[in-house]
Amino acid sequence: MQMVLMTFRSSMEDDLLKWLKAEGISFTYVANARGKGETGQDLDRIYGGGTNTMLFAGIPDEQLSGFRDRAYNLNRKLTQDGQVSLPFHVFVLPCIQWF
């Protein structure tokens, strides 16, 4: 199993939650994450939006390759094949479930 960590601008939530539902992926949702990254700082934008969302999803090894391909295709679509900078990042970490 692998832990997939997704971070993205909260304004993208609807689209990404619909995509995850269609994928049949269970996840843990962390709203109102703040920080500073390549696409700018969100720490001081409490009143004007600008927060991020984080999701943690455990993906079984046998599903990871297909999920990775579909996530890559989604990113290509959202960034218009890399022409648009987008605050959407996906990280994969080893994951062992104890119970």
Side-chain angles (χ1 to χ4, degrees), residues 16-82:
L16 289 169
L17 293 177
K18 286 177 190 174
W19 178 73
L20 287 168
K21 183 177 180 180
E23 286 287 317
I25 301 296
S26 298
F27 57 85
T28 298
Y29 172 94
V30 182
N32 297 321
R34 292 181 180 79
K36 182 182 180 308
E38 291 179 10
T39 55
Q41 185 167 340
D42 281 341
L43 292 173
D44 299 327
R45 298 184 63 191
I46 295 171
Y47 300 108
T51 59
N52 294 314
T53 297
M54 294 175 63
L55 295 173
F56 297 89
I59 310 289
D61 290 332
E62 60 274 6
Q63 295 176 355
L64 190 63
S65 181
F67 179 80
R68 180 193 62 223
D69 292 343
R70 291 186 297 277
Y72 177 76
N73 289 335
L74 174 65
N75 188 58
R76 286 185 58 202
K77 176 183 169 189
L78 293 173
T79 62
Q80 299 174 14
D81 288 325

